[in-house]
Structure formats: C-alpha cells, structure tokens
Amino acid sequence: MATPTHSAAGQSRAQVRWGHASIPSPSGPVPARVYRPAASAPLGWLVWAHGGSWRAGSAQDWHGPTAELARISGFAVASVDYRLVPEVRHPAMVEDVLAALAWAREQAREQDGERAGERAGDPLPVAVGGDSAGATLAACAALACRDRALPLAAQLLAYPPLDPGCTAASYHRFPDMFPTASYLMAAWQDYQDPDRPAAADGTRLHSTPFEAADLRGVARAVLATGDLDPVGDDVHRYARLLQAAGVEVTLREFGQTGHGAFLQPGHATSGGPETASLRGWLGVALRLLTSPAAPGA
C-alpha cells in the first residue's frame, strides 16, 4: 500500500505526486517510491532500478530524476529499493526487480478495470528500466520475463555495465573516467555469486545479459550512453546483439557525456526540447514507444 503522497521536488513539483509503497516478495517486503502524473491517469507503469554499483544508492537518492522521468513519460514510476551488496549477492537484486514488476502489473490491471470500456483490448503497458548497475538488473529482469512468458512492453537501459571483465576498448580509452575498469571489476566480484543460482521455478536469472545464449523474444530496448562513458562499448555491443536477435532497438549516444548522466540536470533552456537531457530523452522514448499508435504497441 502507498502512503499519502507528497509533491515531488524541482521542475516536477505539482506535476507529479509520489508516495511510499511496500511491494510483496518471497523474501519480504521491497520498499519503493511511486511517482504518478498529478493531472492525469498514468499511461503505463515503469519499474526503475537505481545505479550505485549494486553496493549503494537508494530510491530517495534518485528522487528528483525519477520524479522527472514520471513527469516526462506520463508513466507511473516505481523506484525500487532493491537489496544491496554486501547483505546479499546476485540474484537477490534481480528477484526484487521482478517482484516489483509483478506488483506493477497488478496496479496496471486495477487501473485497466477502473477505466473499463475506454480502451478495450488495450491493456496498460508495463516496462522496466534503470541506470548504470540498475540498468544491468533491468536487462536481466527483461530476460526473465521473456523466459517466464510474462508481458513486458519495453526495457529502458541507461549506460549499463555488462562485461565483468571490462575488456572493451572504451574502458581503456578513458582510463581515468568514472567508473574505472578496476572499480567495476571489484563491483562485479562483490555482486556475482560464483554458483549462479537459479530461481525457485528453475528460471535462470542472469547477472548480465551477456550470459544469455539467446536474446530472441526479449522486450524492445531503449539504450542510452555517452561518448565519454567507459561502459559505452558494452552498450553498443548489446544493441548489436539485440538487433541481430530481431529485437527492436533504439540507441542514442550523447555527445560530451560521461557516466551518471541520468542524475544530471538537462542542458535545455526553458521551453527547450525534453530530449536534450538523457533522462528526458528516455521519458519521451518510452512514451512514444508504448503509445497505441506506435508500431508493435
């Protein structure tokens, strides 16, 4: 259940309302902050996993950016406080994101029931997304949804690190830019369980989508990175793999942009395009991709 709502900070104040939620899961309640457009019903539901190298970060820390994402996209955004290292290792974090997706589907069904007859046969879309380490979790959750035949409208992935070995050229092209290869390799070691356990139902819960032998049938992907981001080559490689598997991919590389751009304010002047900032572009892309008129929507 969500608590009484509050106004969101910054540009989204009075345009987004938010509240706390406790999401049920087999491992216990998963806390979340839920952001909704204030003036209209949500166009869909997005589960968001924050960054922080699987060791840090919180929905509270990501409050402003996720509130703005809700405002721009028109979606309700559930920002998940998934469990972190060192208390747990993979796949606990992916399981928390999957629990949030199950909860979001229930919220969407309830909303569909409330508006019965308005858009018959056109259920509200549910999507998953994240930035940095959270985007890695979102991509892995999208694969689990495919393997469980669960509906997923899209995956929004902002600069996910995907290679535990950090072997791509971009890690060495920008050796002093955050995150460094040595920093990320240590984070991967803390995050990954060497036993690679499966879920209770036998579903393989990947720690990175690069582990998946087959990407066919996974949800449409929106990917963003920066030209100065050390993980940039991982993002481009994943886009190519998805496209080769027949998955619809939208990819944008932002110029003069490093890691962590989802948290940065946009550079657009007042009245400028929402797509000038990385998170603005993600919000617009989600709205357009999942609109009833969009191909495949």
Side-chain angles (χ1 to χ4, degrees):
M1 296 292 292
T3 64
T5 57
H6 313 270
S7 62
Q11 187 180 10
S12 301
R13 188 181 302 276
Q15 296 178 292
V16 172
R17 54 192 178 91
W18 72 276
H20 296 284
S22 181
I23 295 172
S25 83
S27 300
V30 179
R33 289 190 176 204
V34 180
Y35 303 85
R36 295 177 174 86
S40 60
L43 301 176
W45 283 78
L46 170 66
V47 170
W48 191 262
H50 63 77
S53 306
W54 308 291
R55 300 181 289 197
S58 69
Q60 179 177 346
D61 294 340
W62 263 245
H63 177 82
T66 45
E68 186 176 7
L69 186 60
R71 178 184 66 81
I72 294 171
S73 67
F75 272 54
V77 178
S79 182
V80 183
D81 270 319
Y82 57 85
R83 290 169 288 171
L84 299 171
V85 170
E87 285 75 17
V88 297
R89 303 179 81 173
H90 176 271
M93 304 82 161
V94 177
E95 290 173 335
D96 290 349
V97 173
L98 289 168
L101 280 167
W103 180 85
R105 289 188 195 96
E106 182 59 33
Q107 305 307 304
R109 282 192 291 268
E110 290 181 4
Q111 189 177 332
D112 280 333
E114 293 171 358
R115 58 174 199 152
E118 293 180 20
R119 285 166 60 187
D122 188 14
L124 283 177
V126 174
V128 69
D131 57 295
S132 192
T136 312
L137 301 178
C140 295
L143 282 164
C145 289
R146 183 228 22 209
D147 294 342
R148 291 171 171 170
L150 295 171
L152 190 67
Q155 49 181 324
L156 271 68
L157 310 177
Y159 45 85
L162 299 172
D163 176 15
C166 301
T167 57
S170 56
Y171 288 104
H172 309 288
R173 191 181 308 128
F174 312 114
D176 299 322
M177 297 284 286
F178 178 83
T180 64
S182 59
Y183 174 90
L184 269 181
M185 284 190 288
W188 279 106
Q189 289 176 350
D190 289 343
Y191 160 65
Q192 288 182 310
D193 188 326
D195 294 330
R196 297 185 178 182
D201 64 359
T203 303
R204 170 74 184 279
L205 298 181
H206 300 288
S207 64
T208 167
F210 282 178
E211 295 171 346
D214 186 358
L215 297 174
R216 288 176 297 177
V218 76
R220 296 173 292 181
V222 176
L223 297 100
T225 188
D227 61 346
L228 302 178
D229 193 332
V231 310
D233 284 357
D234 283 4
V235 178
H236 283 275
R237 177 186 169 193
Y238 193 43
R240 292 192 299 271
L241 290 172
L242 288 168
Q243 288 173 329
V247 178
E248 180 183 342
V249 175
T250 303
L251 169 66
R252 180 174 173 184
E253 181 178 87
F254 287 75
Q256 295 298 301
T257 300
H259 202 75
F262 179 78
L263 300 177
Q264 304 303 317
H267 299 296
T269 58
S270 177
E274 299 279 18
T275 53
S277 72
L278 185 145
R279 66 174 175 259
W281 179 77
L282 287 172
V284 171
L286 176 63
R287 187 174 71 234
L288 294 176
L289 187 67
T290 58
S291 67

